[in-house]
Amino acid sequence: MLNLPVKIENVKIVENGSKYFVNLTLQQIESPDALKGMVMLVFSDVPESEESDENTLKQKNKVFPENKKN
């Protein structure tokens, strides 16, 4: 069984009226034995851009069609 990392890009985070974007990477740890089976979660900053905001909105509308603006 392969334990490939899972990557999620352009996750929008809103905090106190400010927004920013991150990429997430999740990877199962195989060694050392003391950490085997645990998961590592890495947040990477992404420069804010209109494209990132647009992509987030498109992804949200795929999951929640009721969010679409008419």
Side-chain angles (χ1 to χ4, degrees), residues 40-70:
M40 177 173 50
L41 177 59
V42 178
F43 295 85
S44 303
D45 288 331
V46 175
E48 185 179 344
S49 70
E50 290 181 29
E51 181 180 342
S52 295
D53 198 23
E54 183 70 23
N55 288 340
T56 301
L57 182 58
K58 285 179 185 175
Q59 290 172 1
K60 235 189 242 183
N61 287 337
K62 286 181 186 176
V63 177
F64 303 106
E66 66 274 9
N67 287 343
K68 283 188 177 179
K69 293 181 180 179
N70 295 329

Side-chain angles (χ1 to χ4, degrees), residues 9-27:
E9 296 182 345
N10 289 327
V11 177
K12 182 178 179 180
I13 298 176
V14 178
E15 180 181 33
N16 296 328
S18 298
K19 66 180 177 181
Y20 54 97
F21 295 86
V22 296
N23 291 336
L24 300 176
T25 304
L26 289 89
Q27 175 72 52

Side-chain angles (χ1 to χ4, degrees), residues 1-5 26-40:
M1 173 189 246
L2 293 176
N3 291 317
L4 299 175
L26 289 89
Q27 175 72 52
Q28 184 172 343
I29 300 172
E30 295 298 320
S31 64
D33 285 339
L35 299 178
K36 188 171 184 169
M38 293 185 141
V39 177
M40 177 173 50

